Amino acid sequence: GEDFPTERCEANQAAGTITYLTGFDFAAAASIIEVIVAEDAGYFEELCLDVVLQPSFSTANYALIAQNDAQFSSGGSFSEVVEFANANDADFVVMSVDGRAPIDVLMTKEGQTSSLADLAGTTIGVKGKLPTSVQVMLAQEGLVEGTDFDTVAVEGFDPVAHMEIEIIVGVPGWRSNEPGALERAGVGFDQYDTVDFDNPGSVGISYSNPQIVDEHPTAAQDFMRAAMRGLDTAIADPEAAANVAVELINAGGNPNFLSPEGEVFRWTTDAALIVDTTPEDMPIGMPDGEALQAELDAYADVGLFGDAATPDAASRLGSDILASVYDADGTVIWPS
């Protein structure tokens, strides 16, 4: 409630332009939507920050953040960030973790399976590779890729077209995306949700690099302050927040053919997951080191990190940065 200090404003301005790379276009997704809303609401400007948003894709951003060509980005999951860091000897600082569960589900053609056990001897379609959280879910049921079931690559991102492929039983996807697309198209399906199988996981990761944290600590802290206020605003009115994202998507030509209905479904689903998985004694977005270590341990068991030792979750966390933007009752501290 106090005035924003002049010295802090000057320190933030000294950071220059802060580039934020989205994880999937300007989609209304966790760890993207809060930055979109914060920029639209003027929260960064109020804290003397010059922030530029650029649409991108999560896997393309890691090298850019590591080299400080951009300063903040959105990762699909904590394990995804750690996997890239370990494989490329890169140093990242995970600032916030929006959702404390995997985003992945497995969708099968309606009536073809009644349980995961029915997947034995079948073929699953995948975009690139089978998501790690789905691997863990299937492994818990004794199903191992290449031994108990096969996978085959599918082209594009249209789950309706994928479900028409005869040789596959189904496809994995994001809880906040593909199920909604199938429902809107009237395509029946059965769904196996990684959350229902108590899989550890995460979604909506905001991360940076040590350079901006060390050289411009107030700017790094206040970027996250504005983002967390943006997250609170987006959760309070999911449809309005999604519509802000849709405006940016359309302004950029909508190269990924995202729809207003799809983005409202995406953020409404993500927002509910964030609220439902945040412990009562923790503010939204605060990394939970113990839960994140459990995620890394489970994913190491299915080979995510190869022969390397299981990474230490705590070494990648900047929890103290996020803790400093909240007061004792979990409200974002904001100047008058």
Side-chain angles (χ1 to χ4, degrees):
E2 299 178 3
D3 291 339
F4 197 59
T6 301
E7 318 83 70
R8 192 177 185 98
C9 181
E10 292 173 349
N12 286 355
Q13 291 171 336
T17 300
I18 294 173
T19 300
Y20 168 79
L21 303 175
T22 73
F24 178 48
D25 200 344
F26 285 118
S31 72
I32 301 175
I33 193 71
E34 55 256 47
V35 180
I36 290 175
V37 169
E39 175 67 12
D40 181 71
Y43 296 157
F44 294 120
E45 186 178 358
E46 288 184 42
L47 302 180
C48 304
L49 294 170
D50 177 18
V51 177
V52 174
L53 278 59
Q54 293 184 3
S56 190
F57 293 90
S58 65
T59 53
N61 297 339
Y62 291 115
L64 298 173
I65 298 297
Q67 296 162 7
N68 201 39
D69 291 332
Q71 288 68 51
F72 287 88
S73 187
S74 165
S77 67
F78 181 69
S79 54
E80 179 186 280
V81 176
V82 172
E83 179 188 17
F84 186 94
N86 278 29
N88 296 276
D89 196 25
D91 199 2
F92 298 128
V93 181
V94 170
M95 304 288 202
S96 64
V97 179
D98 289 352
R100 301 154 196 273
I103 196 172
D104 305 298
V105 298
L106 179 62
M107 300 158 292
T108 60
K109 297 175 182 178
E110 189 172 32
Q112 290 202 10
T113 63
S114 59
S115 69
L116 288 177
D118 294 336
L119 291 168
T122 66
T123 299
I124 298 172
V126 296
K127 299 185 287 289
K129 66 176 183 178
L130 194 65
T132 309
S133 63
V134 174
Q135 289 185 52
V136 172
M137 177 177 69
L138 295 174
Q140 289 173 339
E141 301 298 309
L143 298 171
V144 177
E145 182 179 0
T147 300
D148 303 292
F149 66 92
D150 294 319
T151 58
V152 64
V154 296
E155 295 183 1
F157 297 93
D158 183 359
V160 176
H162 295 160
M163 284 299 203
E164 295 175 350
I165 300 173
E166 291 187 8
I167 65 170
I168 65 172
V169 69
V171 291
W174 288 356
R175 180 187 304 101
S176 58
N177 186 35
E178 283 87 347
L182 292 174
E183 289 171 359
R184 290 190 297 274
V187 177
F189 62 97
D190 296 312
Q191 178 171 297
Y192 300 96
D193 195 327
T194 52
V195 171
D196 295 335
F197 290 82
D198 297 324
N199 279 9
S202 56
V203 63
I205 313 301
S206 293
Y207 71 98
S208 184
N209 57 53
Q211 187 167 336
I212 188 171
V213 173
D214 295 340
E215 296 179 4
H216 302 284
T218 64
Q221 184 186 83
D222 288 337
F223 180 95
M224 293 309 303
R225 186 187 312 278
M228 290 302 97
R229 189 178 183 194
L231 181 57
D232 185 63
T233 301
I235 289 174
D237 192 341
E239 185 170 354
N243 287 334
V244 173
V246 169
E247 289 179 9
L248 286 176
I249 291 167
N250 290 336
N254 194 8
N256 298 295
F257 306 102
L258 304 179
S259 70
E261 299 82 8
E263 295 316 294
V264 170
F265 177 83
R266 188 195 306 276
W267 178 235
T268 300
T269 303
D270 277 1
L273 176 70
I274 292 168
V275 172
D276 291 345
T277 61
T278 298
E280 292 184 3
D281 60 346
M282 295 184 73
I284 287 177
M286 182 66 68
D288 181 341
E290 184 175 340
L292 294 172
Q293 188 62 58
E295 175 183 341
L296 298 185
D297 292 345
Y299 291 8
D301 287 344
V302 294
L304 181 63
F305 307 109
D307 296 329
T310 303
D312 175 31
S315 67
R316 299 293 179 191
L317 298 179
S319 304
D320 55 330
I321 295 173
L322 203 68
S324 66
V325 311
Y326 283 109
D327 64 16
D329 66 357
T331 300
V332 175
I333 301 169
W334 199 258
S336 59

